Coordinates of all heavy atoms in Angstrom, one line a residue:
P1346 N 17.6 -16.3 -4.3 CA 16.8 -16.4 -5.5 C 15.7 -15.3 -5.6 O 15.4 -14.7 -4.6 CB 16.2 -17.8 -5.4 CG 16.1 -18.0 -4.0 CD 17.2 -17.4 -3.3
I1347 N 15.2 -15.2 -6.8 CA 14.1 -14.3 -7.0 C 12.9 -14.8 -6.3 O 12.6 -16.0 -6.4 CB 13.8 -14.1 -8.5 CG1 14.9 -13.5 -9.3 CG2 12.5 -13.3 -8.8 CD1 14.8 -13.5 -10.8
P1348 N 12.2 -14.0 -5.5 CA 11.0 -14.5 -4.7 C 9.9 -15.0 -5.7 O 9.8 -14.5 -6.8 CB 10.6 -13.3 -3.9 CG 11.8 -12.4 -3.9 CD 12.5 -12.6 -5.2
N1349 N 9.1 -15.9 -5.2 CA 8.0 -16.4 -6.1 C 6.9 -15.3 -6.1 O 7.0 -14.3 -5.4 CB 7.4 -17.7 -5.6 CG 6.9 -17.6 -4.2 OD1 6.3 -16.7 -3.8 ND2 7.2 -18.7 -3.4
K1350 N 5.9 -15.5 -6.9 CA 4.9 -14.4 -7.2 C 4.2 -14.0 -5.9 O 4.0 -12.8 -5.7 CB 3.9 -14.9 -8.2 CG 3.0 -13.8 -8.8 CD 2.0 -14.3 -9.7 CE 2.6 -15.0 -10.9 NZ 1.6 -15.5 -11.9
S1351 N 3.8 -15.0 -5.1 CA 3.0 -14.6 -3.9 C 3.9 -13.8 -2.9 O 3.5 -12.9 -2.3 CB 2.5 -15.9 -3.2 OG 3.5 -16.8 -3.0
K1352 N 5.2 -14.2 -2.8 CA 6.1 -13.5 -2.0 C 6.4 -12.1 -2.5 O 6.5 -11.1 -1.7 CB 7.4 -14.3 -1.8 CG 8.5 -13.6 -0.9 CD 8.0 -13.4 0.5 CE 7.8 -14.7 1.2 NZ 7.4 -14.5 2.6
R1353 N 6.5 -12.0 -3.8 CA 6.7 -10.7 -4.4 C 5.5 -9.7 -4.1 O 5.7 -8.6 -3.8 CB 6.9 -10.8 -6.0 CG 8.1 -11.5 -6.4 CD 8.5 -11.2 -7.8 NE 7.5 -11.6 -8.8 CZ 7.5 -12.8 -9.4 NH1 8.4 -13.7 -9.1 NH2 6.6 -13.1 -10.3
A1354 N 4.3 -10.3 -4.2 CA 3.1 -9.5 -3.8 C 3.2 -9.0 -2.4 O 2.8 -7.9 -2.1 CB 1.9 -10.3 -4.1
E1355 N 3.6 -9.9 -1.5 CA 3.8 -9.6 -0.1 C 4.8 -8.5 0.1 O 4.6 -7.5 0.9 CB 4.1 -10.8 0.7 CG 4.2 -10.6 2.2 CD 4.6 -11.9 2.9 OE1 4.3 -13.0 2.4 OE2 5.2 -11.8 4.0
I1356 N 5.9 -8.6 -0.6 CA 7.0 -7.5 -0.5 C 6.5 -6.2 -1.0 O 6.7 -5.2 -0.3 CB 8.2 -8.0 -1.3 CG1 8.9 -9.2 -0.6 CG2 9.2 -6.8 -1.4 CD1 10.0 -9.8 -1.4
I1357 N 5.8 -6.2 -2.1 CA 5.3 -4.9 -2.7 C 4.3 -4.3 -1.7 O 4.3 -3.1 -1.5 CB 4.7 -5.2 -4.1 CG1 5.7 -5.6 -5.1 CG2 3.9 -4.0 -4.6 CD1 5.2 -6.2 -6.4
K1358 N 3.4 -5.1 -1.1 CA 2.5 -4.6 -0.2 C 3.1 -4.0 1.0 O 2.8 -2.9 1.5 CB 1.5 -5.7 0.2 CG 0.3 -5.2 1.1 CD -0.7 -6.3 1.4 CE -1.8 -5.8 2.2 NZ -2.8 -6.8 2.4
N1359 N 4.1 -4.6 1.5 CA 4.8 -4.2 2.8 C 5.7 -2.9 2.6 O 5.8 -2.1 3.5 CB 5.7 -5.3 3.3 CG 4.9 -6.4 3.9 OD1 3.7 -6.3 4.2 ND2 5.5 -7.6 4.0
Y1360 N 6.2 -2.8 1.3 CA 7.1 -1.7 1.1 C 6.5 -0.5 0.4 O 7.2 0.5 0.2 CB 8.3 -2.2 0.2 CG 9.3 -3.0 1.0 CD1 9.1 -4.3 1.4 CD2 10.6 -2.4 1.4 CE1 10.0 -5.0 2.1 CE2 11.5 -3.1 2.1 CZ 11.2 -4.5 2.4 OH 12.2 -5.2 3.1
S1361 N 5.2 -0.6 0.0 CA 4.6 0.5 -0.7 C 3.8 1.5 0.1 O 3.2 2.4 -0.4 CB 3.7 -0.1 -1.9 OG 2.7 -0.9 -1.3
N1362 N 3.8 1.3 1.4 CA 3.1 2.2 2.3 C 1.7 2.6 2.0 O 1.3 3.7 1.9 CB 3.9 3.5 2.4 CG 5.3 3.3 3.2 OD1 5.5 2.3 3.8 ND2 6.1 4.3 3.1
D1363 N 0.9 1.5 1.6 CA -0.5 1.7 1.3 C -0.8 2.6 0.1 O -1.9 3.2 0.0 CB -1.3 2.2 2.5 CG -1.2 1.2 3.7 OD1 -1.3 0.0 3.4 OD2 -1.2 1.7 4.8
L1364 N 0.2 2.8 -0.8 CA 0.0 3.6 -2.0 C -0.7 2.9 -3.1 O -1.2 3.5 -4.1 CB 1.3 4.2 -2.5 CG 2.1 5.2 -1.6 CD1 3.4 5.5 -2.2 CD2 1.2 6.4 -1.4
L1365 N -0.7 1.5 -3.0 CA -1.3 0.7 -4.1 C -2.5 -0.1 -3.6 O -2.5 -0.6 -2.5 CB -0.2 -0.3 -4.5 CG 1.1 0.3 -5.1 CD1 2.2 -0.7 -5.3 CD2 0.9 1.1 -6.3
D1366 N -3.4 -0.3 -4.5 CA -4.6 -1.1 -4.2 C -4.2 -2.6 -4.6 O -3.1 -2.9 -5.1 CB -5.8 -0.7 -5.0 CG -5.6 -0.6 -6.5 OD1 -4.8 -1.4 -7.0 OD2 -6.1 0.3 -7.1
E1367 N -5.1 -3.5 -4.2 CA -4.8 -4.9 -4.4 C -4.6 -5.3 -5.9 O -3.7 -6.1 -6.2 CB -6.0 -5.8 -3.9 CG -6.1 -5.7 -2.3 CD -4.8 -6.3 -1.7 OE1 -4.3 -7.3 -2.2 OE2 -4.5 -5.8 -0.6
Q1368 N -5.3 -4.7 -6.8 CA -5.2 -5.0 -8.2 C -3.8 -4.5 -8.7 O -3.1 -5.2 -9.5 CB -6.3 -4.3 -9.0 CG -6.2 -4.6 -10.5 CD -6.3 -6.1 -10.9 OE1 -6.8 -6.9 -10.1 NE2 -5.8 -6.4 -12.1
S1369 N -3.4 -3.3 -8.3 CA -2.1 -2.8 -8.7 C -0.9 -3.7 -8.1 O 0.1 -4.0 -8.8 CB -1.9 -1.4 -8.2 OG -2.9 -0.5 -8.7
I1370 N -1.1 -4.2 -6.9 CA -0.1 -5.1 -6.3 C 0.0 -6.4 -7.1 O 1.1 -6.9 -7.4 CB -0.4 -5.4 -4.9 CG1 -0.2 -4.1 -4.0 CG2 0.5 -6.5 -4.3 CD1 -0.7 -4.2 -2.6
K1371 N -1.2 -6.9 -7.5 CA -1.2 -8.1 -8.3 C -0.5 -8.0 -9.6 O 0.2 -8.8 -10.1 CB -2.7 -8.5 -8.5 CG -2.9 -9.9 -9.2 CD -4.3 -10.2 -9.3 CE -4.5 -11.6 -9.9 NZ -6.0 -12.0 -10.0
V1372 N -0.7 -6.8 -10.3 CA -0.1 -6.5 -11.6 C 1.4 -6.4 -11.4 O 2.2 -7.0 -12.2 CB -0.7 -5.2 -12.2 CG1 0.1 -4.8 -13.4 CG2 -2.1 -5.5 -12.6
L1373 N 1.9 -5.7 -10.4 CA 3.3 -5.5 -10.2 C 4.0 -6.8 -9.9 O 5.2 -7.0 -10.3 CB 3.6 -4.5 -9.1 CG 3.1 -3.0 -9.4 CD1 3.4 -2.1 -8.3 CD2 3.8 -2.5 -10.7
A1374 N 3.3 -7.7 -9.2 CA 3.9 -9.0 -8.8 C 4.2 -9.9 -9.9 O 5.0 -10.8 -9.8 CB 3.0 -9.6 -7.7
E1375 N 3.6 -9.6 -11.1 CA 3.8 -10.4 -12.3 C 5.2 -10.3 -12.8 O 5.8 -11.1 -13.5 CB 2.8 -10.1 -13.4 CG 1.4 -10.4 -13.1 CD 1.1 -11.9 -13.2 OE1 1.8 -12.6 -13.9 OE2 0.2 -12.4 -12.4

């Protein structure tokens, strides 16, 4: 299934190699 929002944020953070700040990760996880 599609991961929930908190899991999506975790995935984005792990796969983005520190290119994104916390606010950007939060926006993308939506």
